[in-house]
Amino acid sequence: MIHLQNIRKRFRRPGGGWFDAVQDTSLAITAGEVFGLIGFSGAGKSTLLRLINLLERPDSGAVIVDGQDLTAMDAPALRRARQHLGMVFQQFNLMANRTVADNIAFPLEIAGWSKADIAQRVAECLEVVGLSDRAQHYPAQLSGGQKQRVGIARALAPRPKVILADEPTSALDPKTTQSILDCLRDINQRFGVTVVIVTHEMHVVRSICHRAAVLDAGQVVEVVEVSDGKVDARSDLARSLLEAA
Amino acid sequence: MEEMTFAAALADLAGMAPEIWQACQETGLMLGVGLAAAILLGGPLGIWLYLSQPGQLFANRLVNGVLGWTVNLVRSFPFIILMVSLVPLTRLLVGSTIGPVAAAVPLSFAAIPYFARLVEQTLREIPRGVVEAAEAMGASPLQIIIKVLLNEARSGLISSLTILTISFLSYSAVAGVVGGGGIGDLAIRYGYYRFQTDVMVAMVLLLVVIVQIIQLLGNRLAARLDKR
Ligand SMILES: Nc1ncnc2c1ncn2[C@@H]1O[C@H](COP(=O)(O)OP(=O)(O)OP(=O)(O)O)[C@@H](O)[C@H]1O
Ligand SMILES: [Mg+2]
């Protein structure tokens, strides 16, 4: 579903010179899986995730999603492609002046859906995340966990093939974290949406990922498999992340 | 100066009612034109100023530098000097340099960069992540401006407009004295040149009431629009 081919991304350092955030990385993520990106702070997890929907443009290499090379697209084509790539953020990034329902409606308005279709789809998505009774509330009136559910419903609304999540539970307490992870797993299983999730916590990987890439200094150290909540790790880095959990 | 009773002062003012009404209309006209220019030209300029900043949608150091410098330049002129230096332009545009329409030219000229800065400041308060979320969902620049930036900043924009209106009520009095007419001009003409203090006091009171009403309405509307 997602192929990253020889991706490089460097940032200009404030003091001068360059910093390699992602170094010659290739990764293949299969349709329907929950794929983790794990590593310590500064490893390049967020950058790699943002390269998938081209919020960051790679300096070289190709990003192929659902058979389409995003790096070769012009701006309008890229916008259309992004409408099928949901994104969930650590800080939720909801629009404060829109109700819950209108936040979820936003990507559908952008995509030109009719009012009736939007209303129906918003109701469905609210149902999925269990917030039907909060449709007319504003984000300021919700708890962190509820805000993230709105974020997930918003990502789900345009029936995306892929949802990208950057530390979706890092701003939440452990109990809420579990319910958000359950919600993402539920969406993956019911709708077959491929989920890519960034985290620095191994327990997130254990609880919902099928596989995960372990990152360090902008490189993939290894790709681990998860079976029955057990992570089969070989590298020292993956082991130390396991111990930290 | 003859001694005046309160009753005499009231009678005086009542007799001037048509003139006062005319002055209110002139002030309204000056403000209306100035604010319209501020919204229609200063608004987009403020949005551009914001979007050309580093890290924003149309980040461009040169464009941002030139816009910012120009806005500062016009804003650094004392209003009275701006008025005088714009006399040729006013004559070109309006065909005359007296009357409320002529006074509206320098008012608009001052209002545009003023409001542009206010808009830029207001937009800066929107968290970057919210705009980024819209980008990630495939929103076009125009959709981001209208559906995200302006909607998220709407309450701050109303507050900015309130500040602008009140400042320009005072600027319009200056413009009035130099031939624009209006409430401020009336106060000066009767109160200062003809020693009719009652008229001056009444005009100042009228301005006080207008300012209070504008601020009250602005606060109400801003609060109602703010869901943060
Ligand atoms: N826009 C940018 N400009 C300059 N440097 C950047 C930029 N974005 C990221 N970096 C740098 O790239 C490196 C990787 O950043 P990234 O955000 O991908 O790390 P991360 O693994 O997500 O870390 P964290 O767990 O702290 O979120 C960091 O050293 C960061 O400082
Ligand atoms: Mg990160």
Side-chain angles (χ1 to χ4, degrees), chain A residues 11-12 19 21 40-48 56 167 198 200:
Chain A
F11 292 111
R12 202 181 283 276
F19 177 83
F40 289 112
S41 189
K45 310 180 292 290
S46 298
T47 307
L48 197 58
E56 303 287 358
E167 308 220 24
V198 166
H200 58 268

Side-chain angles (χ1 to χ4, degrees), chain B residues 202-213:
Chain B
M203 290 307 103
V204 170
L205 283 179
L206 184 59
L207 287 172
V208 169
V209 170
I210 293 174
V211 167
Q212 299 291 354
I213 290 174

Side-chain angles (χ1 to χ4, degrees), chain A:
Chain A
M1 173 60 67
I2 301 169
H3 290 272
L4 301 181
Q5 297 173 348
N6 303 98
I7 297 291
R8 287 171 200 273
K9 180 69 188 177
R10 47 183 14 194
F11 292 111
R12 202 181 283 276
R13 268 189 233 267
W18 295 89
F19 177 83
D20 292 300
V22 174
Q23 315 190 34
D24 198 15
T25 296
S26 296
L27 210 55
I29 297 171
T30 315
E33 76 175 327
V34 179
F35 192 91
L37 297 174
I38 185 165
F40 289 112
S41 189
K45 310 180 292 290
S46 298
T47 307
L48 197 58
L49 188 80
R50 294 157 54 83
L51 281 159
I52 297 175
N53 62 0
L54 251 55
L55 278 184
E56 303 287 358
R57 206 164 255 284
D59 297 318
S60 64
V63 178
I64 296 170
V65 178
D66 198 20
Q68 294 180 296
D69 184 352
L70 301 191
T71 42
M73 289 180 174
D74 61 6
L78 178 60
R79 286 201 288 270
R80 260 175 275 123
R82 278 178 174 166
Q83 289 167 5
H84 302 284
L85 279 171
M87 196 166 200
V88 178
F89 304 83
Q90 180 176 355
Q91 296 305 328
F92 323 124
N93 293 345
L94 302 176
M95 283 175 257
N97 282 338
R98 277 178 174 248
T99 60
V100 165
D102 288 345
N103 264 284
I104 300 171
F106 184 84
L108 307 178
E109 288 173 19
I110 297 269
W113 287 39
S114 75
K115 275 213 156 69
D117 289 348
I118 291 179
Q120 194 187 343
R121 182 62 184 157
V122 167
E124 282 170 18
C125 292
L126 279 166
E127 184 86 47
V128 171
V129 299
L131 282 178
S132 301
D133 56 333
R134 294 282 189 276
Q136 295 312 315
H137 285 54
Y138 285 92
Q141 302 166 304
L142 303 178
S143 71
Q146 289 171 331
K147 284 182 197 164
Q148 197 55 294
R149 284 170 185 277
V150 178
I152 292 171
R154 176 174 72 172
L156 182 67
R159 304 184 199 280
K161 298 202 168 140
V162 175
I163 289 182
L164 308 173
D166 193 351
E167 308 220 24
T169 61
S170 295
L172 306 173
D173 64 52
K175 194 167 153 234
T176 316
T177 292
Q178 201 50 53
S179 78
I180 292 294
L181 294 178
D182 292 343
C183 181
L184 283 170
R185 186 198 295 113
D186 181 44
I187 284 169
N188 166 257
Q189 287 172 352
R190 279 171 68 185
F191 310 111
V193 179
T194 308
V195 177
V196 185
I197 180 168
V198 166
T199 180
H200 58 268
E201 294 170 302
M202 199 51 100
H203 86 84
V204 170
V205 171
R206 271 202 296 259
S207 90
I208 63 164
C209 293
H210 301 116
R211 296 192 301 150
V214 181
L215 302 183
D216 183 38
Q219 285 178 312
V220 176
V221 175
E222 83 169 300
V223 175
V224 297
E225 305 256 348
V226 187
S227 51
D228 298 330
K230 283 214 177 76
V231 181
D232 174 27
R234 276 165 238 273
S235 65
D236 291 345
L237 177 66
R239 292 226 169 98
S240 72
L241 280 161
L242 267 175
E243 277 160 27

